[in-house]
């Protein structure tokens, strides 16, 4: 099946009020077996291999095994996501190809939880019925651009 | 009847869905709601951090008009979209999104999204309209701003509630109803205005892979047609329901090709090393004027490729190795070439890891190193998405200031983004005829529509009056699959095989078989005809009759039941619209073999439709395409 759970690693998210994988799966696939207190994918047929559950699992208990109906065996792609970047490890089917490791940033300049929704730009127009949105027209401009908008453009 | 508690939520603006459009709507609505003392509620069937099409992340922002650079104008973007959709587009809507989208992108950056920059501090473009990002956490970041905005404005986010139907009163939309997929609770939302932003529809057609890889659709399987059903059931006029999007992607895992074509300038060839864009070029003369525009419309690019496939000239390859070689050769010396190669390698893999991880698995498992060998590409299966290169969705009002005297009566009815049902708004994949908005434009459109929806709330301040009988009837209908299962499950030794009911997975397979074989799916290379569609509709009528016999063992399966009812309505709107448009306008997306040519004279028009839930009747309408630019 696309995602699978390593029993020794899954602790059923004991420390949390709900399991992380069940909380996050956009397709409602990951569930906890109440007897074994281990998670599993209840409907692998509809797994998108989006890795949302893999990335959030606090114990790295979830991995993905490529779709068996068209993916040859033996390769793996694993993810380790921290607050600032994500580390990927790609293992090829052939051991002759050296595994690849990539690290990519995932956010910049704003720490987790701190995205401030309003007030980055002044809002010129207070008219609820007008076309100007929050932060406009200032937010249409950048420091670099030669064109400066002082109102929302029209045709 | 199953014993469920009813939770009633009263609000001013209800936003259905938690995807890109909804996150934009939540931010904008919260800003204005705070000023005007209004309440905003967002309801999502999943967790907003990873719900919808951007769950995995994205590696590019596909709409950035870059207006302040002076390089592009709104007209430029309009021209691009109009041509790509073979002339059928609402210019007022496209321009409206295009004039606000840069703001969304600038805000994403303020919220922490890493957008690539060059040495001069300028954004790195993938193509003219696309920006490269490190987008693994794109959705988390955009959702974070939305959640913080809701919190600041006293709004509410309700997750894991699946919306099934709109609530209606006196021809207006007054909220929505659904159920929790976690607890035995029905949710009744009473709202002055309701925004539909529950994404597009996938798995209406049979996907190519039908084994374990069934879920590997290019667009996500959890976009299940809720937007289309909601609008149709509410009586909203729908547009472009014949338009489906079939992207060409790396074969089987559907990894993105955009970076390869645009950034790395790779070429695609057939098995004989011929470039089908060149060898099949004369075919473009049959689709004028669009056959000669640049870039060639996406459906025509598909079409030229499919012609080779039909002639047995597969496999079709993306020549990755040649492209990388060429870039390395252009480097000034060997050291620079090595460095460049390393960069390209990381970029190529990140493109997959950010938005289609399965493709990285497939490449690793087939020992594919893109710098060494080419990879197969192929057309995926058909999807219904108003935001990407599709156009299907609700017919909504454009903004007043972008109308001309000629368009005002057709395209404007008071509130931007409002459907033809008062109080019901739509954005993102849910709104039609405003293609090529992608993630950023969906966010911008959510913002535009949310502000207009709040203006509607202020202008129509009466509390929504919802008839209890309607709520009771819908509650019974929504929960019926649970009762059907309970009452009949013991009649056979295998709960899957029972003559009294049909479970949602088999129901979905039946729907997909009809669509695949009659409405131009993968197995017929996207070809259909009037006779095929008519036959398909006959079979679809049986499916509709059987829908009340859907059965669900638990809440998860109850959600699957309703997802497939939603898909079925999207399917019907699609078949009817293909039949109504008597021409082949988008070869490559679909081909009507009984009407094989484009008929600009009669069909440069929007095909719209309205469903009447009281009678079950569909009305098909033709609406003029009117330009607002010269
Ligand atoms: C593989 C892939 C690659 C893409 N590449 C790019 C790219 O490079 N650049 C780019 O800009 N765009 C890209 N896109 C497009 C972009 O993701 C979409 O245009 C955008 O997400 C559409 O926004 P939306 O809000 O309409 O839908 P979504 O973001 O899909 O959100 C839909 C929401 O509705 C919720 N929902 C659905 N049904 C219900 C229901 N019944 N009840 C309650 N909630 C429900 C879902 O949980 C979700 O929250 C790509 C998409 C995919 C899948
Ligand atoms: S990979 Fe995605 S779709 Fe599959 S179980 Fe995990 S979260 Fe759900
Ligand atoms: S998130 Fe990880 S540890 Fe928690 S239940 Fe799921 S698999 Fe187990």
């Amino acid at each position: 099946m696309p995602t699978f759970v390593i029993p020794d690693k899954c602790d059923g998210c004991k420390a949390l009020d709900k399991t992380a994988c069940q909380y996050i799966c956009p397709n409602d696939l990951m569930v906890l077996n109440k007897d074994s207190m281990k998670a599993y994918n209840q409907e692998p047929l509809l797994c998108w291999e989006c890795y949302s559950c893999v990335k959030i699992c606090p114990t790295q208990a979830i991995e993905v095994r490529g779709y068996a109906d068209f993916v040859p065996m033996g390769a793996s792609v694993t993810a380790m996501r921290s607050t600032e970047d994500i580390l990927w490890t790609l293992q090829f089917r052939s051991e002759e190809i050296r595994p690849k490791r990539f690290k990519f940033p995932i956010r910049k300049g704003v720490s987790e939880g701190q995205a401030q929704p309003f007030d980055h730009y002044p809002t010129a127009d207070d008219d609820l019925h007008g076309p100007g949105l929050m932060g406009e027209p200032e937010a249409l401009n950048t420091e670099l651009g030669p064109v400066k908008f002082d109102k929302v453009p029209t045709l | 009847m199953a014993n469920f508690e009813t939770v009633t939520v009263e609000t001013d603006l209800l936003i259905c869905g938690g995807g890109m459009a909804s996150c934009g709507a939540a931010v904008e609505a919260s800003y204005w709601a705070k000023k005007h003392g209004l309440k905003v509620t967002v309801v999502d069937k999943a967790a907003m951090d990873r719900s919808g099409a951007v769950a995995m992340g994205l590696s590019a922002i596909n709409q950035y008009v870059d207006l302040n650079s002076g390089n592009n104008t709104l007209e430029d973007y309009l021209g691009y979209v109009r041509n790509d959709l073979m002339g059928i587009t609402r210019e007022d809507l496209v321009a409206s999104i295009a004039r606000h989208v840069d703001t969304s992108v600038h805000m994403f950056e303020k919220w922490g999204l890493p957008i690539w920059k060059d040495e001069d501090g300028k954004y790195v473009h993938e193509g003219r309209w696309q920006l490269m990002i490190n987008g693994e956490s794109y959705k988390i970041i955009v959702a974070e701003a939305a959640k913080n905005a809701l919190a600041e404005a006293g709004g509410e986010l309700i997750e894991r509630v699946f919306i099934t139907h709109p609530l209606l009163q006196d021809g207006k939309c007054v909220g929505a109803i659904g159920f929790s997929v976690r607890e035995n609770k029905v949710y009744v939302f009473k709202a002055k205005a309701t925004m539909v932003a529950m994404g597009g529809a996938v798995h209406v057609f049979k996907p190519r892979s039908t084994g374990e890889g069934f879920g590997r659709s290019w667009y996500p399987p959890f976009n299940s047609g809720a937007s289309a059903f909601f609008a149709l059931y509410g009586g909203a006029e729908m547009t472009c329901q014949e338009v489906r999007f079939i992207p060409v992607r790396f074969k089987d895992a559907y990894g993105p090709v955009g970076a390869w074509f645009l950034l790395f300038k790779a070429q695609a060839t057939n098995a004989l090393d011929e470039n089908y864009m060149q060898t099949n070029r004369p075919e473009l003369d049959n689709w004028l004027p669009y056959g000669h525009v640049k870039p060639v419309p996406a459906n025509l690019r598909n079409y030229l490729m499919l012609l080779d496939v039909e002639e047995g000239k597969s496999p079709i390859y993306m020549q990755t190795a040649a492209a990388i070689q060429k870039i390395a050769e252009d480097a000034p010396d060997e050291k620079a070439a090595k460095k460049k190669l390393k960069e390209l390698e990381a970029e190529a893999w990140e493109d997959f890891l950010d938005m289609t991880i399965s493709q990285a698995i497939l490449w690793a498992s087939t020992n594919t190193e893109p710098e060494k060998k080419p990879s197969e590409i192929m057309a995926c299966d058909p999807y219904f998405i108003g935001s990407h290169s599709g156009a299907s969705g609700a017919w909504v009002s454009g903004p007043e200031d972008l109308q001309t005297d000629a368009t005002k009566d057709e395209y404007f009815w008071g509130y931007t983004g409002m459907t033809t049902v008062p109080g019901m708004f739509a954005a993102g994949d849910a709104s039609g005829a405003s293609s090529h908005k992608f993630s950023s434009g969906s966010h911008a459109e959510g913002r535009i529509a949310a502000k207009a929806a709040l203006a509607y709330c202020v202008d129509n301040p009466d509390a929504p009056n919802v008839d209890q009988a309607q709520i009771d009837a819908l509650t019974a209908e929504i929960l019926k699959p649970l009762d059907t299962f309970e009452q009949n499950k013991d009649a056979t030794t295998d709960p899957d095989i029972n003559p009294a009911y049909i479970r949602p997975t088999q129901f979905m397979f039946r729907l997909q078989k009809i669509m695949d074989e009659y409405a131009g799916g993968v197995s017929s290379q996207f070809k259909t005809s009037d006779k095929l569609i008519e036959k398909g509709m006959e079979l679809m009528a049986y499916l509709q009759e059987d829908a009340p016999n859907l059965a669900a063992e638990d809440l998860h399966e109850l959600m699957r039941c309703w997802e497939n009812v939603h898909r079925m309505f999207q399917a019907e709107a699609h078949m009817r619209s293909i039949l109504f448009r008597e021409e082949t306008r988008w070869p490559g997306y679909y081909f009507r073999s009984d009407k094989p040519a484009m008929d600009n004279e009669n069909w440069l028009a929007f095909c719209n439709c309205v469903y009447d839930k009281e009678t079950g009747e569909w009305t098909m309408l033709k609406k003029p395409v009117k330009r607002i630019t010269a």
Side-chain angles (χ1 to χ4, degrees), chain A residues 5 9-13 19-22 32 39 56-59 61-62:
Chain A
V5 176
K9 288 189 178 174
C10 171
D11 66 0
C13 282
T19 64
C21 54
Q22 180 172 28
L32 192 68
I56 206 173
C57 172
T59 64
I62 311 176

Side-chain angles (χ1 to χ4, degrees), chain A residues 26 48, chain B residues 16-22 43-46 51-54 58-63 138-139 161-164 197-200 218-220 222-224 226 355-356 387-388 427-430 437-440 442 566:
Chain A
W48 203 39
Chain B
C16 298
M20 286 305 289
S22 294
V43 53
D44 190 345
K45 77 171 180 185
S51 64
V54 189
L58 292 179
S59 65
I61 288 173
N62 278 1
Q63 188 187 9
Y138 189 5
K139 184 66 203 303
V161 167
F162 183 86
I163 295 295
T164 55
M198 294 179 281
W218 167 74
Y219 223 59
F222 29 92
N223 275 21
S224 49
M355 57 184 183
T356 317
S387 71
H388 206 280
D429 280 330
K437 46 202 174 191
F438 305 100
S439 61
S440 44
S442 294
H566 292 171

Side-chain angles (χ1 to χ4, degrees), chain B residues 301-311 379 525-526 588:
Chain B
R301 294 197 301 265
N302 282 9
Y303 187 55
L304 296 192
M305 183 187 103
L306 290 169
L307 288 174
D308 272 15
V309 173
E310 266 174 54
E311 277 186 53
Q525 290 278 20
F526 315 124

Side-chain angles (χ1 to χ4, degrees), chain A residues 3 25-27 29-30 41 46-53, chain B residues 222:
Chain A
T3 56
C25 174
N27 210 8
L29 302 184
M30 298 304 293
N41 184 332
L46 289 178
C47 178
W48 203 39
E49 289 188 350
C50 72
Y51 276 62
S52 298
C53 57
Chain B
F222 29 92

Side-chain angles (χ1 to χ4, degrees), chain B residues 138-157:
Chain B
Y138 189 5
K139 184 66 203 303
I140 289 188
I141 290 166
V142 171
E144 187 177 299
K147 286 196 232 180
N148 289 347
L150 284 167
E152 267 194 51
E156 196 176 2
L157 168 63

Side-chain angles (χ1 to χ4, degrees), chain B residues 163-166 168 173 194-198 225-239 241 392-396 418-421 424-427 429-432 566 569-570 609-613 618:
Chain B
I163 295 295
T164 55
H165 298 76
L168 304 156
C173 180
T194 303
M195 164 129 32
V196 189
M198 294 179 281
S227 300
F229 174 80
F230 194 99
L232 278 165
Y233 185 91
E237 188 169 330
M238 305 296 281
T239 190
Q241 296 296 307
S392 56
W395 183 245
V396 299
M418 193 166 83
T419 67
T420 54
V421 176
M424 187 194 288
F425 291 73
D429 280 330
S431 80
H566 292 171
F569 274 77
Q570 175 66 76
C609 62
V610 183
Y611 172 72
D612 181 343
K613 72 173 164 48
W618 293 74

Side-chain angles (χ1 to χ4, degrees), chain B residues 409-595:
Chain B
D409 290 342
E410 297 285 351
Y411 299 163
F412 171 71
W413 51 96
Y415 299 90
T416 312
M418 193 166 83
T419 67
T420 54
V421 176
M424 187 194 288
F425 291 73
D429 280 330
S431 80
S434 52
S435 185
H436 291 262
K437 46 202 174 191
F438 305 100
S439 61
S440 44
S442 294
H443 189 270
E445 193 186 23
R447 286 165 48 228
I448 299 164
K451 188 184 171 197
L454 286 187
Y456 178 90
C457 292
V458 167
D459 297 346
N460 298 274
D462 294 345
N465 151 33
V466 191
D467 176 19
Q468 188 59 36
Q470 180 187 172
I471 293 173
D472 294 343
L474 281 171
T475 301
E477 190 182 337
I478 291 166
L479 301 181
K480 185 162 183 275
L482 293 169
D483 300 334
T484 302
F485 184 80
E486 261 322 295
Q487 284 156 13
N488 297 290
K489 69 176 192 319
D490 295 329
T492 66
T493 55
D494 178 352
D496 276 340
I497 304 179
N498 187 309
Y501 58 67
I502 178 165
R503 298 188 79 166
T505 305
Q506 299 307 320
F507 187 89
M508 174 176 67
F509 288 155
R510 213 170 117 194
L511 172 69
Q512 292 179 348
K513 186 171 163 66
I514 296 171
M515 295 307 284
D516 184 57
E517 294 174 4
Y518 297 93
V522 163
S523 68
S524 62
Q525 290 278 20
F526 315 124
K527 277 202 201 74
T528 183
S529 69
D530 52 350
K531 296 282 179 274
L532 270 168
I533 294 273
E534 279 159 13
K535 186 70 196 172
M537 287 192 7
E538 199 182 311
L539 297 175
M540 186 68 86
Y542 294 124
L543 188 70
Q544 269 161 6
E545 282 172 21
D546 288 349
N549 299 317
L550 276 160
E553 185 173 11
D554 54 21
L555 292 171
H556 176 76
E557 204 178 10
L558 185 63
M559 174 169 81
R560 295 289 184 245
C561 288
W562 283 103
E563 284 177 347
N564 287 304
V565 170
H566 292 171
R567 289 186 175 107
M568 180 177 72
F569 274 77
Q570 175 66 76
E572 171 133 24
H574 184 52
M575 291 210 280
R576 287 182 184 273
S577 299
I578 288 192
L579 199 57
F580 184 61
R581 177 181 286 287
E582 297 183 315
E583 63 166 349
T584 294
R585 193 163 199 99
W586 297 277
Y589 292 166
Y590 74 85
F591 198 91
R592 249 188 82 162
S593 49
D594 59 318
K595 303 268 181 205

Side-chain angles (χ1 to χ4, degrees), chain B residues 137-416:
Chain B
S137 294
Y138 189 5
K139 184 66 203 303
I140 289 188
I141 290 166
V142 171
E144 187 177 299
K147 286 196 232 180
N148 289 347
L150 284 167
E152 267 194 51
E156 196 176 2
L157 168 63
I158 299 172
E159 296 181 331
R160 297 291 170 192
V161 167
F162 183 86
I163 295 295
T164 55
H165 298 76
L167 293 175
L168 304 156
Q169 199 76 41
D170 308 322
K172 288 189 206 154
C173 180
V174 288
I177 187 167
F179 60 91
S180 163
V181 297
R182 292 279 180 270
E183 315 164 280
N184 287 355
K185 288 181 179 167
V186 167
Y187 273 76
V188 174
F189 297 93
K190 299 182 179 177
K192 289 177 191 154
T194 303
M195 164 129 32
V196 189
M198 294 179 281
V202 173
H203 279 162
V204 173
F205 279 85
K206 190 194 273 178
R208 284 183 185 271
S209 168
T210 49
E212 205 178 70
F214 185 88
R216 179 92 290 275
S217 41
W218 167 74
Y219 223 59
F222 29 92
N223 275 21
S224 49
S227 300
F229 174 80
F230 194 99
L232 278 165
Y233 185 91
E237 188 169 330
M238 305 296 281
T239 190
C240 300
Q241 296 296 307
E242 74 282 30
V243 183
R244 77 273 281 268
F245 179 46
I246 303 173
V248 163
R249 291 293 179 265
F250 283 105
K251 189 171 175 294
D252 297 334
Y254 302 155
V257 297
W260 284 98
F261 277 132
L262 298 169
L263 199 64
F264 305 146
K265 308 271 185 269
Q267 297 219 331
T269 66
N270 64 21
L272 313 173
D273 245 356
E274 296 161 346
N275 180 338
Y276 56 81
M277 289 302 295
Q278 283 157 12
T279 49
N280 292 338
R281 184 158 295 266
E283 175 66 26
L284 293 178
D285 299 345
N286 297 329
W287 309 96
L288 297 181
Y290 312 107
H292 287 178
V293 299
K294 268 190 190 160
V296 178
N299 65 297
L300 291 178
R301 294 197 301 265
N302 282 9
Y303 187 55
L304 296 192
M305 183 187 103
L306 290 169
L307 288 174
D308 272 15
V309 173
E310 266 174 54
E311 277 186 53
K313 293 178 178 171
S314 303
I316 307 293
Y317 288 112
M318 177 76 81
Q319 295 295 348
T320 57
I324 291 201
Q325 206 60 40
K326 171 95 183 36
I327 298 175
E329 275 165 17
D330 292 347
D333 55 64
E334 207 174 308
K335 201 168 148 224
K338 254 202 169 137
K339 186 164 164 253
K340 188 77 204 165
L341 270 178
K342 201 144 183 72
E343 261 174 45
L344 289 177
E345 192 197 4
E347 284 170 15
W349 285 97
E350 183 178 10
D351 196 31
F352 294 165
L353 295 169
D354 273 354
M355 57 184 183
T356 317
I357 304 161
S358 303
Q359 187 69 50
I361 304 179
L362 185 61
W363 272 13
S365 66
T366 49
N367 297 326
T368 304
E369 295 170 281
E371 65 279 18
K372 294 193 180 144
K373 67 173 181 189
S375 275
E376 263 187 273
I377 56 173
M378 182 47 71
C380 306
D381 36 295
Y383 309 113
F384 298 93
I385 49 176
S387 71
H388 206 280
S389 311
S392 56
W395 183 245
V396 299
S397 173
E400 187 169 21
D401 69 325
L402 291 178
Q403 307 300 332
T404 65
D405 289 343
T407 64
K408 201 163 175 175
D409 290 342
E410 297 285 351
Y411 299 163
F412 171 71
W413 51 96
Y415 299 90
T416 312

